[in-house]
Amino acid sequence: MSNAIYPWQQDAWLQLQQLRPRMPHAILFHGAAGIGKSHFIECYAQSLLCENVRSDGHACGLCASCGWFAQKNHPDYRRLRPEALEDEIPPDGDEDGDKKSAKSTKAPSKEIKIEQVRALADFMNISTHRQGLRVVVLYPAEALNTPASNALLKTLEEPPPGTVFLLASHSLDRLLPTILSRCRKFALAMPSHQQALTWLKGEEVQDADSWLSEQGGAPLLAKQQAETGNRDEMQALLQLLAQPTIEAALKTAEKLQKMPLSMLVACVQRWLHDMFSCKMAGVIRYYPRHRSALTGLAARVQVDALLGVLKRVNERRAIAEHPLSPKLFIEDMLLDYCACLKENA
């Protein structure tokens, strides 16, 4: 893994260096998904373990500690992630990259389990290899299940000396208040539109501006979505949302049933948010290319009906990872959307 942070993280990195003289035992980095939080904290973890830190706070990349870190076998470093992320090829940014197919028939867990937290006990009870810090990285923090959260809380309440916990989250409201209260919170900001666009163009992402808008300004999500190869399917969904009919909804559901459901739900959520903000304030954030369709649809629908369908789509997001039938799940979502507009035509 490269120890170079993303261009939009430079100010945050400089601010972070001010904590070094009095290092907190736990820092919780938070911000929107797709801005590079996990990469940022792993770069920081490497710098904390580095034996020859540069003047700008970055790891030297040359010492024995940096060599161990690059080989993912540093004796004073542990990383906790859900099983579903452990076999992936690390993406450039957050924990949303594509996963390799599991070898077993059992789907890998998307939670951080209590066994993973308990496994830290031996690690924290022995002296460090070079008499330096011991670093534990954990992300996404909201993936901690309840038993794991409680086990981690006990550790944070009585932190072992010389140990630093680095956590990352894009959903602080999903963490236990007691965990929040025992961490030093550090916000990582969304890059400006121009910063993100410049980076995407440097990565040779085609149609970068559109992808960036669709992902709410998150550059790593924009790059990931641009590389998935699902553009035709997403265009079919957007066409249905722009020109909704029951017949088209059924045909589109058939076409989309092999797509990741969380991706489809997120697209519908963004579309509905644009409809709502267009109706209330004439503002379109995610799909400016569809302004004409969104304006017409916003004029047709009643506010209470729009809020109702948006609420139901948000509820579907919670079960999108384990539906009984992907096709029926998509059909139900799209028909609900069509019915909302038909009733208020």
Side-chain angles (χ1 to χ4, degrees):
M1 174 181 290
S2 169
N3 66 351
I5 58 175
Y6 293 103
W8 56 87
Q9 297 175 334
Q10 295 293 340
D11 290 344
W13 184 266
L14 294 176
Q15 181 184 353
L16 188 58
Q17 305 315 306
Q18 299 174 14
L19 300 181
R20 279 184 182 265
R22 299 183 63 181
M23 180 64 63
H25 72 277
I27 307 177
L28 175 57
F29 297 85
H30 60 97
I35 60 174
K37 295 186 300 298
S38 61
H39 181 73
F40 185 87
I41 67 172
E42 297 224 31
C43 288
Y44 190 52
Q46 181 177 352
S47 75
L48 292 178
L49 295 167
C50 177
E51 298 171 5
N52 188 25
V53 181
R54 291 167 15 190
S55 60
D56 58 6
H58 285 284
C60 70
L62 301 173
C63 67
S65 179
C66 286
W68 294 329
F69 194 93
Q71 295 168 20
K72 301 181 180 180
N73 61 2
H74 197 294
D76 298 327
Y77 172 75
R78 292 293 184 276
R79 181 177 69 179
L80 271 65
R81 304 195 300 173
E83 292 175 0
L85 297 179
E86 285 302 330
D87 292 331
E88 73 175 15
I89 299 173
D92 287 329
D94 280 322
E95 54 280 357
D96 305 298
D98 295 329
K99 284 79 176 174
K100 292 181 179 179
S101 299
K103 293 182 180 179
S104 66
T105 56
K106 183 179 179 181
S109 173
K110 295 180 180 179
E111 297 181 335
I112 296 175
K113 300 180 178 180
I114 189 172
E115 293 81 7
Q116 293 172 270
V117 178
R118 285 176 173 169
L120 293 174
D122 291 340
F123 168 67
M124 293 186 294
N125 288 331
I126 60 175
S127 59
T128 58
H129 189 74
R130 296 286 183 108
Q131 306 304 311
L133 289 174
R134 182 187 295 110
V135 180
V136 178
V137 159
L138 186 153
Y139 62 84
E142 55 269 20
L144 286 159
N145 62 25
T146 300
S149 294
N150 291 329
L152 178 65
L153 179 59
K154 292 180 181 179
T155 302
L156 295 179
E157 287 175 338
E158 300 179 3
T163 302
V164 176
F165 285 83
L166 305 177
L167 297 81
S169 171
H170 50 261
S171 300
L172 290 185
D173 59 343
R174 293 173 59 188
L175 303 181
L176 289 178
T178 44
I179 287 182
L180 293 175
S181 67
R182 285 162 176 78
C183 297
R184 172 72 176 266
K185 290 181 279 295
F186 191 96
L188 292 175
M190 181 80 76
S192 69
H193 184 82
Q194 190 55 52
Q195 282 178 316
L197 191 59
T198 298
W199 181 80
L200 286 170
K201 290 181 177 179
E203 295 291 306
E204 299 183 350
V205 173
Q206 301 297 316
D207 201 16
D209 204 357
S210 294
W211 284 115
L212 188 61
S213 294
E214 290 184 17
Q215 297 303 320
L220 303 180
L221 286 181
K223 182 174 185 286
Q224 178 188 326
Q225 293 300 319
E227 293 174 346
T228 59
N230 295 321
R231 191 57 172 172
D232 290 343
E233 290 83 356
M234 296 306 292
Q235 284 299 111
L237 176 58
L238 290 173
Q239 183 176 350
L240 178 277
L241 295 175
Q243 299 177 324
T245 66
I246 292 177
E247 181 181 1
L250 297 174
K251 290 182 178 179
T252 303
E254 179 78 28
K255 185 174 183 179
L256 301 180
Q257 60 181 314
K258 294 184 179 180
M259 290 277 292
L261 295 182
S262 58
M263 181 188 301
L264 299 179
V265 174
C267 179
V268 176
Q269 284 179 308
R270 291 191 294 267
W271 181 270
L272 290 170
H273 277 295
D274 267 357
M275 280 181 61
F276 183 77
S277 60
C278 179
K279 187 172 186 68
M280 303 305 293
V283 175
I284 294 176
R285 176 184 181 186
Y286 298 107
Y287 300 105
R289 291 191 302 176
H290 295 273
R291 175 174 293 276
S292 177
L294 283 163
T295 301
L297 293 168
R300 288 171 51 187
V301 70
Q302 297 296 321
V303 172
D304 57 346
L306 183 54
L307 289 175
V309 73
L310 182 55
K311 178 177 181 292
R312 291 189 292 275
V313 170
N314 292 341
E315 292 170 349
R316 288 184 175 92
R317 184 69 180 265
I319 61 172
E321 299 294 344
H322 44 80
L324 295 177
S325 167
K327 182 181 177 182
L328 292 178
F329 179 95
I330 300 170
E331 284 182 353
D332 184 57
M333 178 173 63
L334 297 184
L335 290 174
D336 187 29
Y337 170 76
C338 292
C340 163
L341 291 161
K342 183 178 181 180
E343 291 172 3
N344 294 276

